[in-house]
Amino acid sequence: MSAEQEKQVAAVAAAQLVEDGMTVGLGTGTTVAHLLDALAARGLTGIRCVSTSPATEARARELGIPTEDFGAVDAFDIAIDGADQVAPDFWLVKGGGAAHTREKVVAASAERFVVMIDSSKTVEAITAPIPVELLAYGLSATLRRLGDTELRDVPHSPDGGVIADYRGEVGDPAALAARLSGTAGVVEHGLFPPAMVSAVVMGRGDEAVWLERR
Ligand code: 5RP
């Protein structure tokens, strides 16, 4: 089975967690595109969704999934998203699609944050690159203080942030997350802590496997 098919398998399983009337945070990426298809196919009623990117928003609208501004919702029953790396203890790397800042705000506001991956996304230890979003103001000084960080050749985020990747040593993800969060000029980074993650579903072949945190 291809990675794309495994993403679909995981997305179909995650979509089963959404019930009529729920508030739902929608992530960004190719796995989320499968989630949107699966949600549309379920014909749920009364769900209120918030998108983390213009791409997700556009696709949701095409499929007839109602989306609202985040200003209209202050908490989610569930948020569902993809990931770039999942470690055994459920540290995640996100932001391959440059949407990690919005994705983290949505995940942090959700009672349950569910992550969908294909089988290539599990890792024994988190490694670089770690996506970061930076303030445009003082950019070269922020890059200098961060060290080992390269600008990514993509448009600014919808919130005006500059997207870059930290390519230095990772070591302990908690220590790196604290350093990145403590660096003035860093809007947000793509390390998501295990405390934020409720469940991870992985497509393995044609089977959806709910991972155990180790
Ligand atoms: C976007 C993300 C994505 O969830 C992550 O990059 C995985 O993407 P995909 O589902 O396309 O493999 O964090 O910012």
Side-chain angles (χ1 to χ4, degrees):
M1 271 232 176
S2 69
E4 212 49 45
Q5 286 168 313
E6 290 186 342
K7 288 178 186 192
Q8 185 185 22
V9 167
V12 167
Q16 296 304 314
L17 301 178
V18 180
E19 295 169 14
D20 290 342
M22 279 187 168
T23 46
V24 185
L26 300 171
T28 292
T30 54
T31 318
V32 169
H34 291 297
L35 173 75
L36 297 177
D37 289 340
L39 285 176
R42 287 199 56 205
L44 293 157
T45 57
I47 59 171
R48 300 181 63 196
C49 298
V50 170
S51 302
T52 52
S53 64
T56 296
E57 172 132 12
R59 183 66 185 143
R61 278 190 204 282
E62 271 172 27
L63 291 167
I65 297 170
T67 61
E68 301 181 32
D69 283 347
F70 201 173
V73 174
D74 64 3
F76 299 97
D77 295 306
I78 192 166
I80 311 178
D81 205 344
D84 302 305
Q85 300 179 45
V86 177
D89 56 5
F90 282 9
W91 270 97
L92 310 180
V93 176
K94 290 187 44 55
H100 53 280
T101 299
R102 288 185 170 200
E103 291 169 339
K104 195 177 279 187
V105 180
V106 165
S109 310
E111 199 174 308
R112 275 192 297 166
F113 176 50
V114 176
V115 177
M116 320 162 289
I117 53 169
D118 65 79
S119 59
S120 72
K121 302 286 186 64
T122 55
V123 296
E124 272 314 304
I126 298 292
T127 54
I130 308 296
V132 289
E133 179 168 343
L134 308 173
L135 266 189
Y137 180 81
L139 181 61
S140 53
T142 303
L143 288 169
R144 182 166 178 213
R145 279 180 284 111
L146 276 176
D148 297 315
T149 302
E150 280 173 21
L151 294 177
R152 204 189 294 177
D153 188 15
V154 294
H156 286 190
S157 79
D159 307 300
V162 176
I163 304 300
D165 293 289
Y166 171 80
R167 295 189 175 275
E169 271 303 301
V170 173
D172 175 14
L176 178 60
R179 179 166 103 75
L180 294 173
S181 295
T183 301
V186 175
V187 177
E188 195 49 85
H189 57 80
L191 284 166
F192 283 46
M196 209 176 249
V197 179
S198 307
V200 180
V201 60
M202 178 177 79
R204 189 173 58 198
D206 59 6
E207 193 189 8
V209 182
W210 293 89
L211 300 186
E212 298 270 337
R213 185 178 306 187
R214 289 189 273 134

